[in-house]
Amino acid sequence: MDTLTRMRAFIDVVEAEGFSAAARRTGRSKALLSKYVRELEDDLGALLLNRTTRQFSLTEAGHTYFRTASDILKEIDNLADLVRENNAELKGRLRVSVPRTFIDAEVGQSLIDFAKAHPDVSLDIVAEDRFVDLIEEGFDLAIRITKLEDSGMIARKLCDFRVYACATPDYVAQYAPLSHPQDLAGKPVIIDTNLRSHNNLRFQDGDGGGLISVPVTGPIEVNTPQATLRASRAGLGVAMVPDFLALPFIRSGELVTLFDDYIIKDRGIYAVYPHRRYLPAKVRVFVDFLSSWFRRTPPPSE
């Protein structure tokens, strides 16, 4: 029996969390999958699964084997994709992690446009405001709006990105002067709890010096930039808002920007994916598409 067949059967069972579910998903019989897994265990001389009529779980050896076997099969599949790339239509499932801010804004249209251009690719978009573990959670890649940190991942910058400190003209008139970030101390600020600094806003010293950290408080703390934008537009406080959300209201005069010379500008929108010897064709095509999309349709800028 082919070891790869047994390996795939084991991974199918683990990912489906049971033999019956795996049988339905793969079209193979439960008995056949059970046979393959049992033969794999016999060949390895180790129990991989604890299975009873009511429970299903991985043994310690099973956890180790699953992680490594999944990587091996991904590399094999990716190599096959690479060889077939020029001889077949792009197909398959692409699982992407994106921030809610991205998918809900106009830039989220880039994902819709990719789906339209590649109808045979099943795009599985998971929108949440946390840094997922791409390998452990089974993602092909992630879109991240951030300062690029050193990691074991490969990252491709899609476009520049910045935030604006925004407030209504009435707010600025009421709480003047607001010429330096430290002037925010004691003033109402809308706090986006997604920011790592939370109740401390960070700015860059205008003359190229170090960071400025300003402790702030305010009437609302919320974990979405869209809500901080709405609160700021209502005159409740200063908000730190992504450029692709803020600029339409800045241009209309509904909001004004503060501390432009102190805003940190080392941010970007990146496509991030695991380091693999054979990058899946669908990932490469997806990242190329987004890069081209942002060149043609950049986020609004002044």
Side-chain angles (χ1 to χ4, degrees):
M1 175 56 62
D2 183 1
T3 298
L4 288 178
T5 301
R6 294 170 179 164
M7 189 184 293
R8 287 188 188 279
F10 170 71
I11 290 173
D12 287 338
V13 170
V14 174
E15 290 182 340
E17 300 183 351
F19 286 91
S20 297
R24 290 191 296 271
R25 179 180 295 182
T26 63
R28 290 176 169 174
S29 70
K30 179 180 176 182
L32 183 61
L33 291 173
S34 180
K35 174 178 178 290
Y36 287 163
V37 173
R38 187 171 59 254
E39 290 175 345
L40 179 62
E41 290 175 326
D42 290 344
D43 187 48
L44 295 171
L47 184 68
L48 301 178
L49 297 174
N50 293 313
R51 41 203 186 274
T52 66
T53 56
R54 294 181 176 272
Q55 291 185 327
F56 169 90
S57 63
L58 285 167
T59 65
E60 183 176 351
H63 277 289
T64 301
Y65 190 85
F66 175 72
R67 287 194 298 269
T68 304
S70 295
D71 289 341
I72 291 171
L73 287 182
K74 282 180 181 177
E75 287 295 290
I76 292 171
D77 291 341
N78 295 344
L79 177 58
D81 284 345
L82 188 66
V83 173
R84 291 193 297 258
E85 183 178 356
N86 294 327
N87 300 309
E89 292 295 326
L90 198 67
K91 295 182 180 180
R93 179 170 173 262
L94 190 62
R95 193 161 189 251
V96 185
S97 171
V98 301
R100 290 189 183 94
T101 304
F102 183 94
I103 192 65
D104 290 339
E106 288 298 321
V107 288
Q109 183 65 37
S110 60
L111 306 184
I112 307 304
D113 289 347
F114 175 84
K116 289 172 63 178
H118 299 280
D120 290 329
V121 176
S122 176
L123 198 57
D124 180 3
I125 302 170
V126 179
E128 52 187 337
D129 295 318
R130 67 182 180 92
F131 277 18
V132 301
D133 187 313
L134 297 184
I135 296 174
E136 288 293 327
E137 299 180 51
F139 286 95
D140 293 294
L141 75 158
I143 304 300
R144 290 180 177 167
I145 305 172
T146 184
K147 175 184 177 181
L148 186 62
E149 303 289 348
D150 185 25
S151 73
M153 299 290 144
I154 303 300
R156 180 168 170 183
K157 190 174 186 179
L158 302 175
C159 68
D160 291 324
F161 163 80
R162 65 169 291 172
V163 297
Y164 287 98
C166 301
T168 62
D170 288 344
Y171 176 97
V172 174
Q174 179 179 355
Y175 291 101
L178 292 170
S179 57
H180 189 277
Q182 294 292 358
D183 293 335
L184 282 179
K187 308 292 195 312
V189 174
I190 312 303
I191 297 169
D192 183 350
T193 56
N194 282 316
L195 299 177
R196 295 181 183 181
S197 55
H198 285 207
N199 292 72
N200 286 275
L201 296 186
R202 294 177 179 175
F203 298 87
Q204 185 76 47
D205 193 323
D207 61 5
L211 290 177
I212 301 169
S213 182
V214 183
V216 294
T217 59
I220 294 178
E221 295 187 12
V222 64
N223 66 340
T224 164
Q226 288 89 342
T228 63
L229 174 62
R230 286 195 296 271
S232 184
R233 290 172 60 200
L236 293 178
V238 175
M240 305 298 291
V241 185
D243 52 8
F244 52 78
L245 293 178
L247 278 167
F249 303 100
I250 295 170
R251 287 172 175 156
S252 72
E254 184 176 344
L255 295 175
V256 295
T257 63
L258 301 166
F259 322 125
D260 288 347
D261 292 337
Y262 298 91
I263 296 296
I264 297 173
K265 300 180 177 65
D266 60 350
R267 303 295 189 261
I269 299 178
Y270 294 88
V272 180
Y273 47 91
H275 189 292
R276 291 174 180 160
R277 183 180 178 188
Y278 303 111
L279 182 66
K282 59 189 176 183
V283 173
R284 183 167 57 256
V285 171
F286 180 76
V287 174
D288 286 345
F289 182 94
L290 291 188
S291 180
S292 176
W293 190 93
F294 276 101
R295 286 197 302 271
R296 298 191 315 269
T297 316
S301 59
E302 289 186 313

